[in-house]
Amino acid sequence: MTVQVLIDRLVFRRLYPLAIEICRYLKIPEFQGVSRVLKHWACFKVQQKEEPDDVIACAINQKLGDTASISYSEIAARAYECGRTELAIKLLEFEPRSGEQVPLLLKMKRSQLALSKAIESGDTDLVYTVVTYLKNEMNRGDFFMTLRNQPVALSLYRQFCKHQEQNTLKDLFNQDDDHQELGNFYVRASYGEGSVEARMAALQNAVDEFNKAKNEFSAKATEEQMKLLRWQRRFQEEFDKPYLDCSLHETVHSLLLDSKHKQAEQLYKDFRIPDKRFWWLKISALAEKEDWEELEKFSKSKKSPIGYLPFVEICVKHHNKYEAKKYVTKVTLEQKVKAHLAVGDLEQAVEAAIERRSESELNLVLSRCTPTTDRALLDKINSARAGALKK
Amino acid sequence: MTRISGAWSSHDTVVLSVKMAAHLSYGRVNLNILREAARKELREFLDKCAGSKAIVWDEYLTGPFGLIAQYSLLKEHEVEKMFTLKAGRLPAADVKNIIFFVRPRLELMDIIAENVIGEDRQRSQRDFHILFVPRRSLLCEQRLEEQGVLGSFINIEEYILDLIPYDGDLLSMESESAFRECYLENDQTSLYHTAKGLMTLQALYGTIPQIFGKGECARHVANMMLRMKREFAGSQNQILPVFDSLLLLDRNVDLLTPLATQLTYEGLIDEVYSITNGYVKLPPEKFTQKKQGEGGKDLPTEPKKLQLNSAEELYAEIRDKNFNAVGSVLSKKAKIISAAFEERHNAKTVGEIKQFVSQLPHMQAARSSLANHTSIAELIKDITTSESFFDNLTVEQEFMTGVDTDKVNSYIEDCIAQQDPLIKILRLVCMQSVCNNGLKQKVLDYYKREILQTYGYEHLLTLSNLEKAGLLKPQTSTRNNYPTIRKTLKLWMEDINEQNPNDISYVYSGYAPLSVRLAQLLVRPGWRSIEEVLKMLPGPHFEERQQLPSGLHKKRQQGENRTTLVFFLGGVTYAEIAALRFLSQMEDGGTEYVIATTKLINGTCWIKSLMDKLEAPPF
């Protein structure tokens, strides 16, 4: 007779204390010895109908303590099998491994508790499992209600819906009166639509939701987008070119490239594009199509809100130094040095920098000098720098 | 699947077989142990699927896996082919086993199901297995069951790869969406993995006796760690603890640092070229060997790929320096290497010649390393000396010092007008918002409108995300605490010395990363001295102690440093890593740091992870 068999027989006869003593004496490893006996004892104990749940649970916990190799969930399962659900739940409290706790709680139809325990554990996979179970077990209303009370579960379910069941997402948000999220939902949905009308419909829904959410900015921005789409559709039909889904900026840019100045101006006014930005837009478009005449006309139309250095630079960017030089005179004093440098007028730049008595600008000029720069010029710069440093 | 049990001890023999992993052992903590444990697990799984095999990869995993095992290890275990996970049918391959290496994501389960269903049972009799990384998922297995394929798999296991060693003092989970999930979507899955990763770490390196933290996520991770410890109650960890303390920090405690342009050598390389899994891809032009008599040869078009870690001596020396200090190091190095090569003229005896020749490989490696970094430094310099870089930096520093953070900034306006890259704009406006504790409604609306009109309405959701994450939000009634925080924690230091710094602020040429400052102050004089400031930062701060079995308390020698593991929840930048390394090297700093994070980030990829791309089908 092996030791194992001996223990088994003692356990079978419920001679637990004796079995434990023998295990300890023979120094059998916990898992095979004391723990196993205790587990059998506990399973037996839960069947004792006379004693109330509290007492049994306490007694078991006292004897077992926090011994790792004992699965409280196994004992709880046994209690459940005997119909003692409450006792099972009490015992499960002692089970530290949520991976064991939760499935059993679900089996015992204690889904709310299962959900709480899953969330407590931080194991989001476990939470998902409970949520999926609940979804199948409950009717929709109750299901959503349950989620509402558990924000963590709700967030995870939202995540799940986002990737798997988009329509449920909408219902969820509706349930919670989450108008901000509904607005976002419609915005997203609009990009899935194939026709302009459908897009507009979705966007209108978004506007309504944003207004309910008191999100003025998003509501207005969406209305503007709808307005833009209408303009773009018109332009597309009129000029037979793609405009839809460009940004406002790109739309105006496109129009200007095609010399549709009137339409560009219309958008400028209708969308209240800030002057500075419109000017940047216009000069870059005009330079891109090398319409230097129009650019010059524009520069004279009124005082430039962005100054005249951008004109210089945009001409240089498009390889036209001749045009660029036209604007150098109009540049403010502070930007004179930069302007001269941009068109490659090193001498003028030096003069301007000296006049300005600015060390940083002299350094800037110096940084643009190459090995081929005229010696005399270099000397001039260096002596000016020395002079500036002395101050 | 056997979990990494507590039976490992740091005295176990570690096979430093692969040169590429040598750099993991240089630090105070031998991270090679972690890597070897991971390799062992992988080998065991591969052997479980006996016979020839092909691996079907979730593409996302290939990068991080490369840091654990190269193809050579897989080949040793009969892996003959490797494919990328794709919809449709599996490619033909004459192997006995097909193993799917995947993350537990539902979309991937659908693809796997398609692959399995499409398998022609007439033509091939391949066995299917799945390895979930980093862990199994009931949800995923349910999906496979719904698709009717769950029974087709022989082995379904999990490969617990949470923390991957990137360098001797650096661990990362490379969890791209951790910040977004935690702070935007209220999904704390990555925090669960973090806690698990820390438990694995403790199993190998001993229970960490002290846990400090700041932030909601930090609190959550600590709670889970303590809870998980209870789950293992009874199996005491007998390893002498290597780490004295753990510091958990939420990224949202310091939203400012990742937005700023990093100014260390490594930081700039990442900002400009993006370092991924320890590699960087660079434009090839500067790296061609100019051979004699080969003028006019075609330049290579493939980008030059370089590995960057501390195994490269020169790199280890310059990576954490402020970029302005790198030039002088390189020129000094050039002189030393030149002189070393000149020594050949002095070698007269056979013995001396022999010695010189034995040094040659090392010298040649050093020269090649120098050439590479000189080229990289030139590339970076072209950018840092540009006007746009200077202007951008100037505005960043204005915001950081609290100048005009409440008005619309004209530089930002001009950048938008000239259609500079959107991410550049977002970084700047978010920085302004963070430094002002939110923007006035008028200013915020103005910026948002400018952005939508210029870059497109499709960015509306991105703006909403940035607001939710606290990066670009309206001012609430609470006052702007940032100036107080800045002054109390000395975040802005004038007169920094870039060449020989004496403070961590050198990494941003004047700005000390708030996160690292908190770590610094925790050691000395302790957080009690900054109680008020801590309250201004989001989330609770706390301290926990974990019981060690008696007899395992470390007896520290006089003057011996403590080892602290700093864990950034939501991402960490190379500049912050440099700052912590700086603290480790300080005389009587008292502590050496090992850094861990959910992801290595820079401002660009960080903001990108919060963007929602909306594209319309063509009309």
Side-chain angles (χ1 to χ4, degrees):
Chain A
M1 185 194 290
T2 65
V3 172
Q4 287 294 340
V5 175
L6 168 65
I7 304 296
D8 279 343
R9 296 227 181 128
L10 288 172
V11 162
F12 185 65
R13 300 223 176 127
R14 308 209 187 124
L15 296 169
Y16 301 110
L18 183 58
I20 290 179
E21 279 301 317
I22 293 180
C23 287
R24 289 207 175 117
Y25 184 73
L26 290 177
K27 297 204 169 75
I28 299 175
E30 283 242 3
F31 183 66
Q32 293 163 303
V34 178
S35 304
R36 197 161 65 92
V37 175
L38 282 175
K39 193 184 78 173
H40 280 289
W41 167 76
C43 288
F44 165 67
K45 193 105 175 111
V46 301
Q47 293 169 44
Q48 289 180 320
K49 301 235 191 305
E50 324 82 56
E51 294 191 31
D53 297 339
D54 285 355
V55 175
I56 299 188
C58 244
I60 293 181
N61 184 38
Q62 265 187 347
K63 268 274 186 317
L64 268 46
D66 271 330
T67 330
S69 32
I70 298 192
S71 164
Y72 272 97
S73 40
E74 264 189 74
I75 304 168
R78 183 65 67 86
Y80 177 61
E81 279 162 28
C82 300
R84 301 186 75 161
T85 315
E86 292 307 315
L87 174 58
I89 293 177
K90 283 196 167 58
L91 287 168
L92 268 185
E93 282 292 324
F94 299 119
E95 172 62 71
R97 290 164 298 179
S98 22
E100 309 277 323
Q101 254 184 348
V102 172
L104 188 55
L105 284 170
L106 281 180
K107 206 164 149 193
M108 299 196 290
K109 307 276 184 213
R110 286 298 210 268
S111 35
Q112 299 276 13
L113 192 54
L115 187 59
S116 305
K117 290 292 174 193
I119 292 172
E120 236 177 79
S121 75
D123 185 346
T124 48
D125 191 56
L126 208 54
V127 178
Y128 271 123
T129 314
V130 180
V131 168
T132 323
Y133 175 87
L134 289 175
K135 186 166 82 113
N136 295 332
E137 289 289 311
M138 295 175 147
N139 68 52
R140 206 164 216 225
D142 289 340
F143 175 56
F144 281 359
M145 207 34 148
T146 310
L147 287 181
R148 217 177 179 181
N149 293 328
Q150 294 278 22
V152 172
L154 179 60
S155 302
L156 286 177
Y157 188 60
R158 277 187 185 184
Q159 281 288 78
F160 173 82
C161 288
K162 205 152 129 188
H163 294 130
Q164 306 288 328
E165 279 175 41
Q166 297 260 349
N167 287 321
T168 316
L169 205 55
K170 192 163 68 160
D171 295 334
L172 260 181
F173 293 144
N174 260 318
Q175 246 269 356
D176 289 342
D177 289 324
D178 194 339
H179 297 292
Q180 174 60 35
E181 286 297 335
L182 273 169
N184 288 342
F185 176 83
Y186 282 115
V187 170
R188 214 185 289 270
S190 76
Y191 278 88
E193 299 293 351
S195 73
V196 182
E197 288 75 31
R199 272 278 205 103
M200 298 290 236
L203 288 176
Q204 185 56 52
N205 284 333
V207 172
D208 296 336
E209 293 298 333
F210 285 138
N211 276 324
K212 284 190 207 151
K214 305 255 194 303
N215 187 340
E216 253 185 71
F217 177 83
S218 294
K220 279 222 187 73
T222 310
E223 281 171 339
E224 282 211 345
Q225 171 66 359
M226 290 168 73
K227 192 161 65 171
L228 180 63
L229 286 172
R230 285 191 211 104
W231 276 109
Q232 288 175 331
R233 184 169 49 181
R234 242 179 74 187
F235 293 147
Q236 208 156 287
E237 284 163 15
E238 256 181 72
F239 308 131
D240 197 26
K241 272 201 169 159
Y243 286 105
L244 281 164
D245 274 325
C246 294
S247 68
L248 173 63
H249 195 96
E250 283 163 14
T251 311
V252 175
H253 187 87
S254 262
L255 290 167
L256 288 171
L257 280 181
D258 291 336
S259 301
K260 305 273 190 279
H261 294 284
K262 206 180 79 183
Q263 286 81 357
E265 292 280 325
Q266 267 180 311
L267 289 183
Y268 168 38
K269 289 201 179 70
D270 204 8
F271 289 92
R272 293 175 297 124
I273 300 178
D275 287 347
K276 280 166 88 169
R277 188 148 55 86
F278 185 69
W279 275 65
W280 273 109
L281 235 187
K282 190 146 184 181
I283 66 172
S284 104
L286 290 175
E288 198 178 312
K289 55 195 282 257
E290 300 184 347
D291 193 345
W292 309 116
E293 212 185 291
E294 189 65 39
L295 183 67
E296 199 170 342
K297 209 169 97 186
F298 183 55
S299 75
K300 293 180 178 147
S301 63
K302 75 179 210 219
K303 181 158 179 215
S304 161
I306 55 176
Y308 291 93
L309 184 59
F311 282 84
V312 177
E313 287 174 340
I314 202 92
C315 292
V316 171
K317 187 168 164 198
H318 290 273
H319 312 295
N320 196 330
K321 283 207 181 131
Y322 175 72
E323 289 293 323
K325 287 190 186 182
K326 288 185 185 170
Y327 302 104
V328 175
T329 46
K330 293 181 143 188
V331 161
T332 63
L333 284 171
E334 298 162 333
Q335 301 184 310
K336 272 282 198 292
V337 176
K338 274 198 184 151
H340 285 302
L341 284 175
V343 297
D345 260 334
L346 211 51
E347 278 182 36
Q348 302 265 38
V350 173
E351 292 298 324
I354 292 176
E355 221 183 282
R356 292 261 299 152
R357 297 190 201 176
S358 156
E359 190 192 331
S360 60
E361 286 175 11
L362 284 165
N363 283 332
L364 184 60
V365 179
L366 198 62
S367 71
R368 299 293 179 83
C369 294
T370 64
T372 57
T373 309
D374 184 36
R375 186 78 233 191
L377 205 57
L378 279 170
D379 289 338
K380 208 172 180 183
I381 301 172
N382 282 318
S383 59
R385 277 177 77 223
L389 281 166
K390 278 208 195 100
K391 275 199 282 185
Chain B
M1 181 80 179
T2 50
R3 291 166 130 233
I4 299 173
S5 67
W8 277 81
S9 91
S10 34
H11 302 303
D12 274 5
T13 29
V14 159
V15 180
L16 294 179
S17 53
V18 183
K19 184 178 71 151
M20 80 168 262
H23 59 290
L24 297 180
S25 327
Y26 290 165
R28 195 176 173 76
V29 177
N30 184 358
L31 293 180
N32 235 328
I33 296 175
L34 184 62
R35 184 171 180 268
E36 282 304 319
R39 288 162 70 89
K40 180 169 179 270
E41 295 257 330
L42 184 59
R43 285 198 190 97
E44 280 173 6
F45 175 73
L46 290 171
D47 289 340
K48 214 168 170 181
C49 315
S52 58
K53 355 181 143 55
I55 300 181
V56 183
W57 287 94
D58 172 356
E59 218 172 339
Y60 185 77
L61 293 175
T62 50
F65 254 83
L67 288 160
I68 299 290
Q70 301 277 285
Y71 182 53
S72 47
L73 179 143
L74 300 173
K75 234 169 126 180
E76 275 170 32
H77 294 268
E78 299 179 275
V79 174
E80 289 173 20
K81 289 257 165 67
M82 306 218 280
F83 306 115
T84 312
L85 183 67
K86 270 198 284 262
R89 299 183 99 182
L90 286 168
D94 189 16
V95 288
K96 183 161 177 292
N97 300 285
I98 299 272
I99 312 179
F100 293 95
F101 276 26
V102 285
R103 289 165 294 158
R105 298 180 79 94
L106 289 173
E107 325 83 77
L108 301 179
M109 297 305 108
D110 292 336
I111 298 177
I112 291 178
E114 226 184 287
N115 283 176
V116 171
I117 291 171
E119 182 83 340
D120 187 349
R121 279 293 170 197
Q122 303 277 359
R123 302 265 299 278
S124 58
Q125 282 290 317
R126 305 189 280 198
D127 289 336
F128 290 112
H129 314 271
I130 301 187
L131 188 63
F132 282 109
V133 187
R135 51 188 49 80
R136 289 171 83 148
S137 148
L138 287 162
L139 201 64
C140 284
E141 286 174 44
Q142 248 173 37
R143 174 59 68 105
L144 290 172
E145 193 170 20
E146 282 164 27
Q147 301 269 26
V149 295
L150 186 61
S152 317
F153 297 97
I154 298 186
N155 287 317
I156 302 182
E157 307 267 342
E158 61 186 14
Y159 183 61
I160 303 171
L161 188 68
D162 292 307
L163 285 167
I164 304 167
Y166 270 70
D167 214 319
D169 59 355
L170 183 59
L171 298 151
S172 172
M173 292 168 61
E174 284 308 278
S175 167
E176 239 169 33
S177 40
F179 181 82
R180 188 192 170 114
E181 282 172 15
C182 291
Y183 295 102
L184 213 59
E185 292 159 356
N186 199 20
D187 171 2
Q188 296 175 318
T189 309
S190 50
L191 298 180
Y192 180 73
H193 293 320
T194 302
K196 283 276 182 187
L198 284 166
M199 297 310 285
T200 305
L201 210 62
Q202 290 183 102
L204 293 170
Y205 297 96
T207 306
I208 305 175
Q210 266 185 320
I211 303 177
F212 297 95
K214 172 69 182 158
E216 290 286 349
C217 298
R219 180 74 261 181
H220 189 59
V221 170
N223 288 344
M224 284 195 286
M225 282 175 72
L226 296 171
R227 195 200 156 90
M228 286 171 190
K229 187 142 203 290
R230 282 201 301 275
E231 289 183 16
F232 292 119
S235 56
Q236 288 280 40
N237 192 336
Q238 294 298 331
I239 302 174
L240 192 66
V242 169
F243 294 104
D244 294 288
S245 56
L246 166 66
L247 170 58
L248 295 159
L249 283 174
D250 275 35
R251 183 71 264 172
N252 79 339
V253 167
D254 175 10
L255 291 172
L256 176 56
T257 303
L259 295 170
T261 306
Q262 300 171 71
L263 298 175
T264 58
Y265 181 58
E266 186 166 44
L268 276 166
I269 296 177
D270 188 39
E271 292 273 348
V272 181
Y273 295 107
S274 224
I275 301 175
T276 334
N277 293 313
Y279 284 88
V280 68
K281 287 201 182 124
L282 299 156
E285 303 83 53
K286 278 206 158 63
F287 296 93
T288 42
Q289 303 279 56
K290 290 191 188 63
K291 296 206 177 90
Q292 306 285 42
E294 270 185 21
K297 191 174 171 128
D298 291 303
L299 287 172
T301 47
E302 283 292 303
K304 172 96 177 162
K305 195 171 171 189
L306 281 178
Q307 192 179 18
L308 297 174
N309 61 42
S310 58
E312 194 182 349
E313 236 178 275
L314 176 61
Y315 189 64
E317 206 183 318
I318 57 177
R319 75 196 301 191
D320 297 321
K321 286 196 182 304
N322 183 296
F323 182 66
N324 289 334
V326 167
S328 57
V329 175
L330 290 177
S331 53
K332 266 196 212 117
K333 229 3 170 263
K335 291 196 182 97
I336 293 173
I337 291 178
S338 267
F341 273 96
E342 288 303 303
E343 276 298 299
R344 71 178 185 280
H345 298 303
N346 296 342
K348 300 271 182 344
T349 70
V350 168
E352 281 171 1
I353 294 175
K354 223 175 158 183
Q355 197 186 36
F356 178 80
V357 168
S358 71
Q359 300 275 31
L360 266 178
H362 176 82
M363 286 159 56
Q364 278 162 345
R367 186 165 57 179
S368 151
S369 166
L370 177 66
N372 281 336
H373 287 290
T374 305
S375 298
I376 297 177
E378 277 170 23
L379 286 168
I380 303 278
K381 196 161 177 132
D382 284 340
I383 295 184
T384 58
T385 48
S386 73
E387 212 177 311
S388 63
F389 185 84
F390 179 78
D391 290 339
N392 195 67
L393 195 61
T394 307
V395 171
E396 282 186 12
Q397 297 196 334
E398 276 173 12
F399 289 157
M400 291 198 270
T401 47
V403 172
D404 287 341
T405 53
D406 54 351
K407 307 189 190 47
V408 170
N409 182 288
S410 54
Y411 173 74
I412 296 179
E413 263 188 308
D414 287 345
C415 286
I416 296 177
Q418 295 176 74
Q419 288 201 286
D420 279 0
L422 178 58
I423 294 208
K424 170 182 170 169
I425 307 295
L426 291 176
R427 279 175 81 163
L428 285 172
V429 296
C430 287
M431 200 184 233
Q432 185 176 353
S433 172
V434 170
C435 292
N436 203 50
N437 200 25
L439 297 171
K440 277 203 276 259
Q441 195 67 52
K442 255 177 66 183
V443 173
L444 179 63
D445 285 351
Y446 182 77
Y447 277 140
K448 295 206 301 196
R449 194 157 180 272
E450 288 289 284
I451 290 171
L452 292 180
Q453 284 195 347
T454 310
Y455 299 96
Y457 173 77
E458 64 260 31
H459 298 288
L460 185 72
L461 293 185
T462 298
L463 294 176
S464 162
N465 289 344
L466 290 174
E467 183 170 337
K468 212 166 163 191
L471 285 163
L472 183 62
K473 58 178 191 173
Q475 227 167 21
T476 48
S477 51
T478 53
R479 49 179 274 253
N480 182 11
N481 284 320
Y482 179 67
T484 313
I485 298 172
R486 188 180 67 236
K487 286 195 190 85
T488 316
L489 300 183
K490 298 201 180 64
L491 297 183
W492 182 260
M493 307 286 275
E494 302 277 359
D495 305 326
I496 46 110
N497 186 333
E498 287 168 350
Q499 308 285 339
N500 289 308
N502 59 359
D503 180 75
I504 56 172
S505 50
Y506 83 88
V507 299
Y508 287 100
S509 288
Y511 166 71
L514 171 60
S515 55
V516 180
R517 206 38 122 209
L518 289 178
Q520 187 179 18
L521 293 172
L522 177 62
V523 172
R524 198 176 294 144
W527 275 357
R528 214 161 280 177
S529 61
I530 49 166
E531 217 37 72
E532 284 306 308
V533 168
L534 277 178
K535 288 208 191 94
M536 296 179 193
L537 297 168
H541 63 275
F542 59 87
E543 180 183 336
E544 295 284 350
R545 282 181 191 271
Q546 297 200 96
Q547 281 274 28
L548 293 177
S550 52
L552 279 191
H553 287 275
K554 228 169 157 181
K555 291 176 194 60
R556 202 163 297 108
Q557 310 282 39
Q558 179 76 332
E560 194 188 322
N561 281 342
R562 295 163 59 92
T563 308
T564 301
L565 177 64
V566 185
F567 208 120
F568 289 83
L569 301 164
V572 73
T573 59
Y574 287 100
E576 285 165 304
I577 295 171
L580 284 167
R581 286 184 180 143
F582 176 80
L583 290 177
S584 297
Q585 286 162 11
M586 265 170 73
E587 298 253 340
D588 38 270
T591 309
E592 278 184 43
Y593 295 99
V594 174
I595 301 129
T597 181
T598 49
K599 176 97 177 63
L600 294 162
I601 59 170
N602 57 49
T604 299
C605 67
W606 190 47
I607 295 285
K608 248 196 204 143
S609 73
L610 294 170
M611 290 175 80
D612 263 345
K613 198 136 172 65
L614 290 175
E615 254 171 63
F619 282 120

